[in-house]
Amino acid sequence: MLFTMQVYVELALLENFCMDFTLLYAAKSVVKNRASKKRLAVAAALGACFAVVFPLFNLPPVWSAAIKIVSGLLICLIAGRFKNLKGYLKFTGAFLVFTAVLGGALIGVFSLAGTEYVQGNGYTLSSIPVGIPLFCGLFVILGAKKLAARLKKTAANDVICRISAGELHAEVKGFFDSGNKVYCRGAPVSVLPKDTAQKLLSAARIESGVKIHTVAGSKNMEVFTADRVEVDFGTTKKIFENVKFGVSPNRIPRAVMHCDLLEE
């Protein structure tokens, strides 16, 4: 009996961990949060422990709902990397939406399968092949990735960047590239043409280098921080402070801006 209970608990932890990780990963993909998979895994593990232990307290429905909401907010706070409240609310909102979508899909599947719903505990996943909820979770991730790709395509592809470093200024045409995955010490790195960067480097000190991979092989790219960047989208302008730029080792015609800047 003890062995059976242990297996049940381990299976419940695994299933809840997979579900929470799926939902957090989907939210991260859509809002383009810079959270690592390690952070998502830690938050998902805490969520799984909570999901297994919480039903044991048998709380009244009102308290049960309130605590579940607070736990969801806490899980999102742990999972993501946020610079402001707006980023946290976007991540949490996406997590809640995907939770509702996945929950609705699973309820529909379980109802068609004739699985019994237990008041206060929901559906007992241990009585259901684990592939069913994971298959539904996979559809959530695929849908999130498609939505994220569509949102990224709406990012500006033709902008004017006015960059300031100390008393020096430079202007260059650029675009936001969803394929730019360069980071330096956790911060996104946009890439400048070499001639544009040289106009700023007497005031901006090279801080470090990052390795990038191109069709010609791996190269080291020098990185510096500009004090201020004004991006002109045509109809609107946006200002960013302390933006990291890399000096492109290859000849490029425009600045390659990092999409993470659009989330700040």
Side-chain angles (χ1 to χ4, degrees):
M1 181 68 178
L2 182 61
F3 177 76
T4 303
M5 179 61 69
Q6 181 181 351
V7 172
Y8 172 81
V9 171
E10 290 176 352
L11 182 58
L13 284 171
L14 175 61
E15 290 172 335
N16 282 287
F17 172 82
C18 292
M19 291 299 99
D20 283 343
F21 186 87
T22 296
L23 296 167
L24 291 169
Y25 186 84
K28 162 190 162 68
S29 299
V30 168
V31 303
K32 300 185 285 294
N33 190 276
R34 294 188 291 117
S36 65
K37 292 183 177 65
K38 183 178 179 180
R39 291 180 70 99
L40 299 182
V42 170
L46 292 175
C49 292
F50 173 82
V52 171
V53 173
F54 180 73
L56 301 177
F57 293 97
N58 196 24
L59 296 174
V62 174
W63 280 103
S64 177
I67 292 176
K68 285 180 180 179
I69 292 173
V70 172
S71 69
L73 297 176
L74 181 60
I75 289 171
C76 291
L77 184 62
I78 295 171
R81 296 182 62 180
F82 312 108
K83 290 188 175 181
N84 49 46
L85 180 61
K86 179 182 177 182
Y88 170 69
L89 293 177
K90 289 177 67 174
F91 185 94
T92 304
F95 175 76
L96 294 177
V97 168
F98 284 122
T99 298
V101 170
L102 180 58
L106 290 176
I107 288 173
V109 171
F110 296 162
S111 297
L112 290 174
T115 304
E116 183 180 358
Y117 180 86
V118 180
Q119 185 66 33
N121 293 325
Y123 293 97
T124 304
L125 292 182
S126 60
S127 64
I128 301 163
V130 70
I132 293 178
L134 293 182
F135 183 72
C136 293
L138 175 63
F139 268 100
V140 169
I141 286 184
L142 293 177
K145 283 189 166 292
K146 281 194 172 183
L147 179 59
R150 181 168 295 182
L151 291 175
K152 286 179 180 178
K153 288 180 181 179
T154 63
N157 289 321
D158 190 12
V159 300
I160 298 175
C161 303
R162 300 181 180 94
I163 309 166
S164 301
E167 298 299 322
L168 299 179
H169 308 277
E171 183 176 304
V172 62
K173 290 184 178 180
F175 66 101
F176 283 88
D177 182 13
S178 61
N180 182 355
K181 304 297 183 183
V182 182
Y183 293 89
C184 179
R185 298 171 185 170
V189 177
S190 299
V191 184
L192 285 179
K194 191 171 184 178
D195 57 345
T196 302
Q198 286 176 339
K199 297 177 182 178
L200 305 164
L201 285 179
S202 60
R205 181 173 60 87
I206 294 293
E207 301 170 355
S208 59
V210 294
K211 184 170 288 187
I212 61 172
H213 302 281
T214 66
V215 291
S218 297
K219 293 185 178 181
N220 192 61
M221 182 172 65
E222 297 177 322
V223 177
F224 69 95
T225 301
D227 299 324
R228 182 177 181 273
V229 180
E230 180 186 272
V231 179
D232 188 342
F233 294 89
T235 56
T236 60
K237 295 180 181 179
K238 195 168 184 179
I239 295 175
F240 305 95
E241 306 286 346
N242 300 317
V243 178
K244 288 191 181 297
F245 282 102
V247 183
S248 175
N250 300 321
R251 185 178 180 84
I252 57 174
R254 297 188 293 169
V256 183
M257 304 300 292
H258 205 293
C259 279
D260 277 8
L261 294 174
L262 296 175
E263 297 304 307
E264 297 183 359

